[in-house]
Amino acid sequence: MPHDSSDLPPVLPEQGHPLSPVPARRTPAWSSDGQAQPAPRAAAVHDGPHRTLRLLRRAGRRQRRVAAFIAVAPFALFLVLTVEVPSLMTRPAPGGLPTGLLLALVQLPVTWLAVLLYEWTARRYVDPLARRARGYDRQDAQDTQAAGRPS
C-alpha cells in the first residue's frame, strides 16, 4: 500500500508564531499580577532590500513582456494576413496604397510607441525601485564601514 502524505495531520507553527492560526495568549488587564502583556507583533516578513529586489525584478519582467508584445504583435498580424489573406493585402486601401504596404508602414510608428511606452514605464515603475535598492546598498555599505569591517 503506497504512503499518502495527505493522511498526515498538517504541521502548524507553535502558538504565538506570526504564521500560527492560533493567536498568542495575553494576560488580561484584570489578572492577579496586574500587569498586562501585549501580544507579540508579527514581524514584517516581506520588507526591506529583498522585497525591493523582488519587486524590481518583477517590474522589469513585466515591462519587457508588454513592450515585446506591443512591438511583435503587429508584425505577427502582418505576416499572418500576408500568408492567409493575400487578396486583402493586395487590395488598394484609401489613398491608393496597397493594404499590405500601408500595414507595413504602420509598423514603424507602432515600434516607436513601444519604445516610448518602455521608457515611460521604466521611469514610472522600475526606476523608483532601482533607486530604493541602491539606497539599501548605500545604507548597508555605510553600516559595514561604521562597524569597522571592510566592505
Side-chain angles (χ1 to χ4, degrees):
M1 181 160 100
H3 175 71
D4 186 12
S5 63
S6 64
D7 295 335
L8 299 174
V11 178
L12 298 175
E14 296 179 13
Q15 181 180 1
H17 188 274
L19 299 176
S20 173
V22 180
R25 293 185 187 174
R26 294 189 309 177
T27 306
W30 47 265
S31 69
S32 59
D33 62 357
Q35 294 187 5
Q37 297 175 352
R41 296 185 71 180
V45 178
H46 302 291
D47 197 19
H50 296 293
R51 179 177 187 267
T52 302
L53 289 174
R54 189 170 43 253
L55 290 172
L56 180 62
R57 285 191 298 267
R58 187 181 304 153
R61 279 193 304 266
R62 182 174 184 194
Q63 179 189 25
R64 288 187 299 270
R65 286 178 189 145
V66 169
F69 178 76
I70 289 174
V72 172
F75 182 68
L77 178 67
F78 174 75
L79 291 178
V80 168
L81 288 174
T82 302
V83 171
E84 297 294 325
V85 194
S87 62
L88 174 71
M89 300 302 272
T90 57
R91 186 179 311 156
L97 290 174
T99 307
L101 181 60
L102 185 63
L103 288 176
L105 292 174
V106 166
Q107 288 180 24
L108 188 63
V110 169
T111 304
W112 280 106
L113 176 68
V115 169
L116 292 174
L117 180 69
Y118 188 86
E119 287 288 325
W120 180 78
T121 56
R123 286 193 188 102
R124 177 84 169 98
Y125 299 106
V126 179
D127 290 352
L129 291 170
R131 281 192 290 275
R132 189 187 325 170
R134 200 174 302 124
Y136 281 124
D137 191 38
R138 282 192 202 116
Q139 182 181 7
D140 188 38
Q142 288 172 354
D143 291 346
T144 56
Q145 197 173 38
R149 290 178 269 156
S151 53

